[in-house]
Amino acid sequence: MKILVCIKQVPDMESRFKVNGSGVWYEETDLAFRMNEYDEYAVEQAVQLKEQSGNTPDVTVLSIGPGRVVEVLKKALAMGCDRAVHIQDDEYYLKDSWQVASIISAYAKDKNFDMVFTGMQSQDRGSAQVGATVAEILGFSCATTLVSFAYGDNVITAKRELEGGLKSVIKLRLPAVVTCQLGLNTPRYPTLPNIMKAKKKEMLSHPVADFLKEGAHSVTEKFYPPAKKGGGILLEGDVNDMADRLVGILKEKTAVVR
Amino acid sequence: MKALLVCEYREGKLLDSSYELLAFADKLGAEKSMVLIGSEAAGPRFGGKVYLADVAKYGEYNPDVHKKIVLEAAQRENADCIVFLHSSYGWDLAPRVAAALKAAQVSEVVSVVDGKFETTCCNGKMRRMVSPKTAKTVVTIQTGAFSFMGDPQGTPHLEKLDLPDTASSLEFVGYEAAEAKDVDLTKAEVIVSAGRGIGKKDNVQTIAALAKALGGELGASRPVVDAGWVDHSHQVGTTGQTVSPKLYVACGISGAIQHLAGMKKSDFVVAINKDKDAPIGEVADVLVVADVMQFVPALTARLQK
Ligand SMILES: Cc1cc2nc3c(=O)[nH]c(=O)nc-3n(C[C@H](O)[C@H](O)[C@H](O)COP(=O)(O)OP(=O)(O)OC[C@H]3O[C@@H](n4cnc5c(N)ncnc54)[C@H](O)[C@@H]3O)c2cc1C
Ligand SMILES: Nc1ncnc2c1ncn2[C@@H]1O[C@H](COP(=O)(O)O)[C@@H](O)[C@H]1O
């Protein structure tokens, strides 16, 4: 069995975002980057499937982006993926989700993958499109937003998460794309021996031009912070002063503190 | 401009959120029609054209089949814009429809400005203005961003759709109900919720102590539940409970849309966050910029006096 996992490197969402020179994305300097949270579940599920299948499946992890994304590829290798593919693209933010999916599909097309794992969404762009679009281009079956995954006899049995805590149970045949939701599993921390082992694993690199065959369907015209709604009271400074003030505010504005 | 609105139907009912699609189409200034894989008895209260495919035949969930139905309706209607909710149904189906039409897809739209779509990104901290470059466009709208005013009314002009081919590589087995709740947060007057910013499981008791001092219940954001620090029955948000207490205190919660959706109807919101720009600030009446583990004990001590 051959498995592909797609991961994106994204900034820590606690960062302060500044607009870059293009006006359509964030300035990368000063940002700390990490693996897209949803993709950690994708990597973990792929590695668990490999382990449960007598280690025979072969797991490739792929990421499109500038040089920095090698860091998350290394992490995925240390978590147990077999080889990494870096598709170099400094102008990744100018591609729309359709192009990202097309690039992934062009890479995957002739490699006979049986299963593709992606996150349900990226934390920075958050389009929740790439996984299902890859499935559509490759003609794979697809299920999104998985909170449970099991595989046997060429069939995936999965639970999708719906609103309000409801789940739907589905079965899908291979080849398939699945997109992973938070809580699907418990992503492992790479151990030191595995980090060392990962250094010997294959890290392939391709320019994005090798796989970019499609133009954009949409363009970002502007990237900006939302207008501040304001109205709220901002408390800053000494913890004890703030606690005193908050108690005063709660007494005045709510009926729950007297 | 013609908009085809894709209704949602679950467990034998039309979901009310479907009416938000009408509000969006009005914002867009589009001519409206709807498509529903459902039943005539539970059709939308809408006076226009509704393409109806029988749920008994096509099932409540099967994206392969539903895609074909939506495409058929889009073709008959010659729709310029096909609109879904950004929901577990919509984000699952929309990319498949968009790919089949080679149409631009814009996800989680929060407003329309001069025919361009504003969407949220970076966990609600930033916005993007997106313009489609294709003849047809597929859009998913953020739930709650476009609200339908008043009572929906009208009797639809039904046009039934029948699909010869319902082959699919996917099988919908059934639903699994949400776990039984041991706490009903919807009745609580005060909720104090723990987010990932509390740092570790041991700190849950500090947040619970504040909840107790305020005579309220403990709530939680999803990562805290996923990590097993707090039981799922305490989760607030789209995939947890929707609450509207008199006072909601968010401790170390960033304010992702899925969390906000569950608590923004609270009367008074206090957020404690070390990040002054956290999106929770948008709904907070008071934003306390502090380390939650330093501030919460100080507050609890004063309330206990
Ligand atoms: C389909 C779907 C459904 C979802 N359903 C839900 C749902 O029902 N409920 C839900 O909550 N989420 C839900 N989510 C997840 C949601 O998108 C967010 O990931 C989640 O709400 C984030 O939780 P958080 O704010 O606790 O964590 P984070 O986003 O990691 O935020 C932590 C916050 O704590 C602050 N912080 C860190 N350290 C400190 C400190 N020492 N002192 C003070 N502040 C600190 C940070 O500044 C940050 O703002 C859903 C997601 C999806 C895709
Ligand atoms: N640049 C990228 N490189 C590799 N995978 C990606 C990239 N962007 C998105 N993905 C994958 O697609 C998923 C959904 O992303 P999105 O459609 O942007 O919300 C992510 O969780 C990743 O698994």
Side-chain angles (χ1 to χ4, degrees), chain B residues 134-147:
Chain B
T134 49
K136 297 188 186 304
T137 312
V138 171
V139 164
T140 64
I141 60 169
Q142 186 178 80
T143 42
F146 300 88
S147 37

Side-chain angles (χ1 to χ4, degrees), chain A residues 15-16 124 127 129 136 144-145 160-161 163-164 167 169 171 182 217 220-221 224 233 235 244, chain B residues 67 88 91-92 107 118 122 125 127-129 131 133 171 173-174 176 222 238 277 285 287 302:
Chain A
S15 318
R16 222 178 170 159
D124 53 356
S127 82
Q129 290 178 25
E136 206 61 29
T144 63
T145 337
R160 295 190 66 226
E161 185 179 51
E163 287 70 22
K167 297 186 182 102
V169 183
K171 289 185 187 293
L182 306 172
H217 283 172
T220 306
E221 306 232 322
Y224 52 98
I233 302 167
L235 296 183
D244 288 335
Chain B
K67 175 183 81 183
S88 63
W91 67 60
D92 189 74
S107 298
E118 182 179 48
C122 297
K125 278 190 160 178
R127 297 280 184 273
R128 285 193 307 139
M129 193 64 81
S131 59
K133 294 292 166 201
E171 182 198 340
V173 180
E176 191 179 282
R222 175 167 185 145
T238 43
D277 296 326
D285 296 285
L287 174 63
R302 280 163 180 76

Side-chain angles (χ1 to χ4, degrees), chain A residues 13-14 37-38 120-121 123 145 161 163 181-182, chain B residues 88 91 123 125 194-199 220-224 235-241 251-260 272-275 278-280 288 290-293:
Chain A
M13 288 303 137
E14 288 170 28
E37 198 179 349
Y38 298 81
M120 83 111 329
Q121 63 182 4
Q123 289 173 285
T145 337
E161 185 179 51
E163 287 70 22
Q181 165 66 315
L182 306 172
Chain B
S88 63
W91 67 60
N123 192 28
K125 278 190 160 178
R196 181 148 50 192
I198 68 165
S221 71
R222 175 167 185 145
V224 168
Q235 186 179 313
V236 173
T238 43
T239 47
Q241 300 190 53
C251 306
I253 294 178
S254 62
I257 177 66
Q258 296 89 358
H259 190 81
L260 298 186
I272 301 147
N273 202 302
K274 65 171 190 195
D275 176 7
I280 189 81
V288 180
D291 183 305
V292 67
M293 295 318 295

